[in-house]
Amino acid sequence: MIGDREETDAAVVSEITPGGVTVIRVCGDLDDDSSPALAGALSAAAADSNCSRTVVDLSTVGFADSSALHALLTAQKAHQAASTVLVLAGPVQAAVDRLFEVTSTGPVFRWAESVQQAMAC
C-alpha cells in the first residue's frame, strides 16, 4: 500500500511508502522537457528528513539524455549530503543503459534490478 502521492508532472510521480521510502516513478523519455520534474522530485526527496531512501524507477524510460543524467548526479550529491540512500531501479532499456555506459557514470549510483529489490537493499 502506498501512502502519500504527489504528481509533479505526468511523466514523474512521487510516492511515499509507509516505511519512509520515496519512490519516484518515471514514464516515457527523460529529456529537457521532463528532467526538471525529475529534478524537483529528487530535490524534495533529499530535503525530506522523514525519507530513509529514494528509489527512482527507470524501468519504463525509453530514452534519457544529459539533462536527466545531470538531474540524477545532482540528486546523488544531495542525497549523500543528507545521508539518504538513492537507488536507481530497472530493468533499464538499452538506450538508458548506454547513457550511463558512455559517460562512465553507472558506478556512481546504487542500482537494483527492480523497485522491490531497491526498497530492500
Side-chain angles (χ1 to χ4, degrees), residues 12-36:
V12 179
V13 177
S14 294
E15 302 169 306
I16 302 172
T17 68
V21 176
T22 298
V23 178
I24 299 173
R25 299 190 189 278
V26 184
C27 300
D29 293 341
L30 275 173
D31 53 23
D32 283 338
D33 293 331
S34 55
S35 290

Side-chain angles (χ1 to χ4, degrees), residues 49-110:
S49 62
N50 295 320
C51 178
S52 61
R53 101 179 21 229
T54 300
V55 175
V56 181
D57 180 2
L58 298 175
S59 64
T60 60
V61 175
F63 169 82
D65 67 10
S66 62
S67 63
L69 182 59
H70 177 73
L72 290 168
L73 288 168
T74 300
Q76 178 67 3
K77 289 179 185 175
H79 279 74
Q80 284 177 335
S83 298
T84 303
V85 176
L86 175 66
V87 184
L88 305 185
V92 296
Q93 302 292 320
V96 176
D97 187 48
R98 181 95 173 115
L99 174 67
F100 293 100
E101 181 183 322
V102 168
T103 59
S104 300
T105 55
V108 170
F109 299 98
R110 181 180 287 192

